[in-house]
Amino acid sequence: MISSLLKCISCGKEFPLTEVRFTCTCGNLLDVEHDLSALKKKFRLSKKYFDSKNTTLHGQPSGGVWHFHEIVLPSAKENEIVSKQEGNTRLYQNRKISSWLGLKRFYLKHEGENPTGSFKDRGMTVATTQAKRLRQKAVVCASTGNTSASLAAYASEADITGLVLIPKGNVAVGKISQALAYGTKTLVVNGDFDDCMRLIFEAQEKLQAYPLNSINPFRLEGQKTIIWETLQQLDWKVPDWFVFPGGNLGNTSAFGKALHEAHQLGFIEKMPRFAVIQAEGASPFYQAFKNGFKELKAQKAETIATAIKIGNPANYTKAIRSLRWTNGIVESVTDEEILDAKSVVDAAGIGAEPASCATVAGLKKLLSAGTIKPKETVVGILTGNILKDPQIIVDYHIGKKGNRSNPPVEIAPSINEVAKFL
Ligand SMILES: *Cc1c(COP(=O)(O)O)cnc(C)c1O
């Protein structure tokens, strides 16, 4: 039996994997740590191993997250796994977007093509599996966005009670519609976001409800597979850069851990660099990066990219570690830059929600500044689906608020009128 454990990223204190715990006694974040050399030996882990492996799950062929079972949650038995075949997302190469950017070798990994429309599903399959293994009574989160949508779908799949807590006054119905539809109970708390977070951890202690916010280290194990899958799709050739948005910095943390482990296991020889992109109005990580990580100043966040509208990122310390491992940088972009980049991604027939398009906006900025070179190989991550935020699209194109808007045109019912547009 291969052992994994929970380990504090600061003081190194260890806890068994069976303990329901999210922070160390010293207050810092926990990693799920696997015995990599034992795993490597037992499964003879190699590129060939993953290339030739046929993964099946519950009798179905299944790639994605559980293709990397051995390095995600090796002790999970097949009958414990709660999965909706997440992952296995496309890696697009698009001429229009590449030429707008001025890049030759550019790939977009589209995590909006997951079951509920965001990468959160990759984390949720693993964390929900762990909730079941720990015999928890319910799963909970505080979120108005993609986390609650994903939690709701996985709670349904696992046949476990799901609860979403949101602060009153911040309820945009469009954003929680998926959670409502998938049958999770949404509790509107007469308080603020901090009250919701406090209630979640109290619910864990007193009610055996398992928190699935990104502070949950099992979520990050699932999100690691975005990197593993990309490397495999690129035939294990390491790109020069990974570019992606940063909000609570769960992906930043997970991606760094994935590459660090891939390097330790001998899958890759060089480390790619990270460029984490934040929205200007929600850029505490960018500000901290500029002051050499001397301090994190929490902000009141404001941006149209709601998925990264976060003023006090939960995974800050893990994210710093990832930047050190990858010689990474942080950039910030305006809402206008995000929307214009989005119009390019959308018009390429690919499309993604605003937070995802911070990736492309940031990349454009870093190319103009010469930080990223046109001849380098770049992988950008699109984190969420275009349909997550239709109102933004309507405002941009029909409301003509955008620089590249494409409004509909009214015409008389005559073929000559139609012909004008061909
Ligand atoms: C959650 C989310 C993010 C932010 O990711 P972090 O891991 O919290 O930095 C970005 N984009 C989308 C679409 C999301 O759902």
Side-chain angles (χ1 to χ4, degrees), residues 117-120 145-147 214 219-220 223 244-253 276 278 306-308 310 315 353-356 382-385 388:
S118 83
F119 73 82
K120 300 293 194 300
N146 292 332
T147 298
S214 70
R219 266 200 38 198
L220 303 193
Q223 290 167 216
F244 49 92
N248 258 321
L249 307 175
N251 272 342
T252 310
S253 306
V276 181
Q278 294 210 294
T306 50
I308 50 172
I310 287 154
N315 288 296
E353 71 164 284
S356 309
L382 297 176
T383 44
N385 195 284
K388 288 281 187 174

Side-chain angles (χ1 to χ4, degrees), residues 47 50-51 68 228 231-232 234-238 267-268:
K47 296 169 189 172
F50 287 119
D51 287 347
F68 299 97
W228 278 93
L231 289 175
Q232 194 183 23
L234 293 174
D235 206 14
W236 306 101
K237 289 187 193 72
V238 181
F267 280 75
I268 57 172

Side-chain angles (χ1 to χ4, degrees), residues 116-118 120 141-153 164-184 186 188 193 301-310 353-355 385-392:
T116 77
S118 83
K120 300 293 194 300
C141 74
S143 156
T144 54
N146 292 332
T147 298
S148 53
S150 185
L151 175 146
V164 170
L165 273 64
I166 51 178
K168 188 173 175 176
N170 273 326
V171 194
V173 175
K175 281 201 266 162
I176 57 163
S177 57
Q178 265 180 302
L180 301 176
Y182 292 141
T184 274
T186 298
V188 180
F193 195 76
E302 201 43 68
T303 168
I304 48 104
T306 50
I308 50 172
K309 189 177 153 188
I310 287 154
E353 71 164 284
N385 195 284
I386 184 174
L387 293 173
K388 288 281 187 174
D389 202 340
Q391 191 58 47
I392 288 273

